[in-house]
Each structure stands twice: as structure tokens, then as C-alpha cells.
């Protein structure tokens, strides 16, 4: 495809998004004003689905295990790549949209709708994956479910953009296993017959201390953090049940698996020391580390800097995201876009306010345009997509 033709299609993308920008900002605000935690995002998912269906997308809401998930697609009926966009829309308990998922979901569907308008000229397909519960929690990290059921296997590339304090590229993240440890003992009166009791709380404390000691003997990438969720009901009753939740993180899935195995061995030891029995439960999908594809990121960088954003290349990976699961299957980008001051930290009140601010609204539109332009590059330049895949295979 010649340069003038590609430029004409880019103009079409930009015009499509700007023509609808008030609608997209309104959608982002509505989702922000009605925060829903993971797997309960009925309002948010319906807002995004409605916009997609109005633009000719076929939407499948029968995604295993997640009632608020969806997969939407629009086809040109001509051969070409299948480009995927990731939509997140869950909020944090108590904090609301303090991670800006109202922006993420809306930007992805805005980009996909714009790409859908040019598919008759480019060929190929565009797919939106509506992925609940990115923040985790019970049955959380739905992208892991999409991978498990092969719902991303058809994609040639996948992308999203995340709000932050400055605009930057994708970064490595940590794999994580969120696990519950339950201990089962035997209740007794703590004063009159303590010898008849088996203290489940003691087992949790031994587990906690054991994991704390383990921190001395791990590599720098490992993170172990947890809380005690249940430790008994009254001081004069020997607790017959106690529960703790830990997030076990490491740089790769393989290292995380080994860490989780060590943690379970400590739980076994805690049970043996106290006489309790134990159960370890993965409360959600395991989250994989994010696999960065620099050639792919560079395309987005070119587009977002052309829109006037200052782009930082030195972002370090922090925390975890289930976009990592997607990145292990298909080349994926997860860049960041500035929505406030550089010191802005996610999961805070200040970040929540920034996600509904004029700068947040501007980032939504810029992010959508850059995502759409990136998708167009992949649709119209087969050699570029080939280069991305070749690099991805060597990572």
C-alpha cells in the first residue's frame, strides 16, 4: 500500500475518534462514576459492548468463568492479520478507578471501532477482548482464562495503553501466584482445657514467620507479601480455623512456580508443628510475567510522540499484570500514557481523580488514536508484522 493511501486511512482513523470523542469521554466518566470490582463489572461491560455493537461488531459474551467478559470482532471478509485490543474496566475495592481502567477499556474500544472503519480497505479483522478482574481477587485475572481456553490463539498482535504519571513503553512485570493458606485445628476452651485444642492461628503464624525467613534467601526480583484474613473469634477459644492470603511474585513464571512450591512446603511444616491440617488454594488465575517486544513498542512510540507526548524509555517494571499472560502467547504491547503529574502513583485517591480529569480525558483520546494508528501499521505493512514476530520468537 502506498504512503498516500496509508496517510488517507490514518486521517480516517483520527476523524472517526475525534468525531466520537465526547461520547468516549462520557463513557469513561460513566464507568469511573460507577466503579465495580472484578467479575462484577456489569455496567461497565455493557457500556463498552453497546458502543461496539452500534459500530457493527459481533459480540460474544459467553466466556467461560467470567460473566462480565466478552469477545467482540469485526471482519473485512478479506484476508489479513487479526489485530487484538485489550479492554479492562474493573475498579479497586474502596478506591474505585484508582488505576484508570475506565480509560483503558474506553481507549481500546475507540481504537478498535476506528480500525473497523478502514478494514474494507486493509483486509483483516479487529478483535476486542473484554477482560474483567485485572486487579485480581477471587477468580480474578481473566486474561489467564482467555489464554487457557485458546481465545487469543488466532491473534497476530495485541495491544492496550495504561494511564500513568508519564508516557513510556512496555516494561517487564513480575509473575504472581495469589494463594490462600487455610489451617484447620480443633477448638477448646483456652483456659480450662487448652491441651485438647489444636491452634490453627499458631499454624498461620508459623507460616508467616517461615515465609518471612524465606525472604533472606531469594533473589532480588522475588516479592512475598501477605495478610491474615481469619485468626479466630475470641481470645478464650482456641481457633480451629485460620486463613492467610499471600501474593508470591518472581521475575518469570518458572521462578514463581518454584517460589510457590517452597511456600507450600513451609505450610506443610507449619501444619506438622502444630498438629493442624492445611489447604493451599490458588484464588485466581496465576499471572505471568510480561514479555516485551521492542520492535512492536517502537511503532506505538512513533505514533504517540507524533501526537505531542514526551516518551520515556527507562520505565522499570513494577507489580504484575495479567496482560503478561497474553504476551506469552502473542506479541503484545502495554505502554503507558501520562494523565497527571509525574509523581502520580496508581492505587491512590490522587490517581483516581486524575483518571477523570481533563488531562485524563485528553490521554484517553490520544491513546486511542495511537493504538488505532499502530493497528493500521500492522494491517498495511506485512513486513513490519513479520519483523515483530521474528523478534518475538527470539525473546
Amino acid at each position: 500500500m502506498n504512503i498516500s493511501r496509508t496517510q488517507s486511512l490514518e486521517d480516517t482513523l483520527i476523524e472517526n475518534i475525534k468525531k466520537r470523542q465526547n461520547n468516549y469521554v462520557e463513557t469513561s466518566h460513566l464507568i469511573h462514576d460507577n466503579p465495580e470490582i472484578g467479575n462484577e463489572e456489569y455496567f461497565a461491560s455493557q457500556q463498552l459492548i453497546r458502543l461496539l455493537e452500534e459500530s457493527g461488531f459481533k459480540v460474544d459474551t459467553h466466556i467461560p468463568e467470567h460473566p462480565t467478559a466478552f469477545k467482540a470482532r469485526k471482519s473485512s471478509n478479506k484476508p489479513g492479520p487479526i489485530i487484538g485490543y485489550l479492554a479492562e474496566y474493573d475498579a479497586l475495592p474502596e478506591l474505585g478507578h484508582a488505576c484508570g481502567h475506565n480509560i483503558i477499556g474506553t481507549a481500546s474500544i475507540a481504537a478498535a471501532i476506528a480500525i473497523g472503519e478502514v478494514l474494507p480497505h486493509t483486509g483483516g479483522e479487529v478483535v476486542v477482548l473484554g477482560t474483567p478482574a485485572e486487579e485480581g481477587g477471587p477468580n480474578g485475572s481473566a486474561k489467564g482464562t482467555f489464554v487457557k481456553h485458546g481465545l487469543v490463539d488466532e491473534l497476530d498482535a495485541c495491544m492496550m495503553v495504561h494511564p500513568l504519571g508519564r508516557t513510556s513503553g512496555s516494561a517487564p512485570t513480575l509473575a504472581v501466584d495469589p494463594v490462600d493458606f487455610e489451617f484447620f485445628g480443633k477448638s477448646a476452651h483456652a483456659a480450662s482445657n487448652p491441651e485438647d485444642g489444636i491452634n490453627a492461628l499458631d499454624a498461620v503464624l508459623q507460616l508467616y514467620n517461615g515465609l518471612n525467613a524465606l525472604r533472606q534467601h531469594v533473589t532480588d526480583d522475588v516479592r512475598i507479601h501477605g495478610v491474615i484474613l481469619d485468626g479466630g473469634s475470641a481470645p478464650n477459644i482456641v481457633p480451629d480455623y485460620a486463613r492467610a492470603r499471600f501474593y508470591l511474585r518472581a521475575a518469570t513464571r518458572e521462578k514463581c512456580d518454584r517460589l510457590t512450591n517452597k511456600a507450600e512446603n513451609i505450610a506443610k511444616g507449619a501444619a506438622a508443628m502444630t498438629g493442624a491440617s492445611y489447604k493451599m488454594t490458588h484464588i485466581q488465575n496465576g499471572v505471568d510475567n510480561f514479555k516485551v517486544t521492542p520492535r512492536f513498542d517502537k511503532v506505538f512510540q512513533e505514533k504517540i510522540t507524533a501526537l505531542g507526548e514526551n516518551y520515556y524509555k527507562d520505565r522499570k517494571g513494577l507489580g504484575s499484570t495479567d496482560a503478561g499472560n497474553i504476551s506469552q502467547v502473542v506479541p503484545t504491547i502495554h505502554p503507558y500514557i501520562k494523565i497527571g503529574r509525574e509523581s502520580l502513583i496508581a492505587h491512590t485517591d490522587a490517581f483516581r481523580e486524575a483518571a477523570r480529569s481533563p488531562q485524563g480525558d485528553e490521554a484517553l483520546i490520544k491513546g486511542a488514536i495511537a493504538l488505532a494508528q499502530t493497528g493500521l501499521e500492522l494491517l498495511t505493512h506485512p513486513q513490519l508484522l513479520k519483523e515483530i514476530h521474528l523478534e518475538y520468537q527470539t525473546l
Side-chain angles (χ1 to χ4, degrees), residues 71 73 82 127 129 145-158 325-326 328-331 389:
K71 184 175 182 178
R73 69 190 314 129
I82 303 177
V127 171
L129 304 181
T145 301
F146 276 80
V147 170
K148 180 170 59 179
H149 290 280
L151 298 176
V152 301
D153 292 350
E154 64 176 339
L155 302 181
D156 291 290
C158 205
N325 297 56
I326 304 291
Q328 296 295 327
V329 179
V330 60
H389 275 266

Side-chain angles (χ1 to χ4, degrees), residues 45 111 144 245 248 295 305 319 353 368:
S45 61
R245 177 169 295 172
L248 307 168
R295 183 68 185 91
T305 53
E353 299 310 310

